[in-house]
Amino acid sequence: MSDPTTFRADRMTYWREHAWIAAIAMALGMGVLWIMDNPHVWTGAVGGLFAVAVRAFYLASDEANAEWVLTASDLSGPDNRHVRLRDIDKLRSLGSAVQIITRSGDKHLMKYMADRPAVMAKIEAAMARAGNAP
């Protein structure tokens, strides 16, 4: 691999995941109020939607623009995250995220990947070329 490969968080994946989280938060909020026998169960949906929407809009500028760079020997990400390919122990799939677990136990998430299987395949191929077969 001569040129670095860049993996960018996908905005549509970011918003789609937050829509699912909002739906779950709305259902949970309504369920809790129903269990408590509150006559205003619908407010749980409003509260769940509002909480997730505020979080989503607040973090969108950072999370939806995150970028990881894969070179022949390293994987570097936001907030000065840096992993040597030979130090990676496992790759896992978590929704649209790729979890990177190092031999020392450090964990990193490449979040909101539009094509998670392709990202994992490229990292595994680079690991093999670096002498660390998955």
Side-chain angles (χ1 to χ4, degrees):
M1 172 186 304
S2 58
D3 293 331
T5 301
T6 302
F7 303 108
R8 290 181 180 84
D10 180 65
R11 281 195 167 290
M12 288 306 298
T13 302
Y14 177 83
W15 290 112
R16 184 174 38 255
E17 285 204 6
H18 278 81
W20 278 108
I21 294 168
I24 293 166
M26 291 168 71
L28 287 173
M30 290 174 65
V32 167
L33 292 175
W34 180 72
I35 289 170
M36 294 172 54
D37 203 26
N38 186 307
H40 306 289
V41 172
W42 64 272
T43 60
V46 173
L49 177 61
F50 182 74
V52 174
V54 167
R55 179 196 186 281
F57 283 104
Y58 182 75
L59 295 177
S61 62
D62 292 332
E63 295 288 335
N65 293 316
E67 182 173 289
W68 290 79
V69 178
L70 176 66
T71 65
S73 61
D74 302 302
L75 183 61
S76 300
D79 300 324
N80 296 319
R81 292 184 184 111
H82 184 83
V83 180
R84 294 199 184 284
L85 294 177
R86 67 174 183 254
D87 294 337
I88 295 175
D89 185 39
K90 294 179 197 164
L91 295 177
R92 288 189 180 150
S93 169
L94 298 168
S96 67
V98 174
Q99 183 183 42
I100 302 156
I101 303 171
T102 65
R103 295 184 197 292
S104 64
D106 293 333
K107 296 178 182 175
H108 305 276
L109 273 181
M110 297 173 68
K111 297 188 253 183
Y112 312 114
M113 297 289 114
D115 189 0
R116 178 194 32 76
V119 171
M120 291 178 73
K122 287 181 182 179
I123 295 171
E124 287 170 349
M127 287 168 59
R129 284 191 298 274
N132 182 11

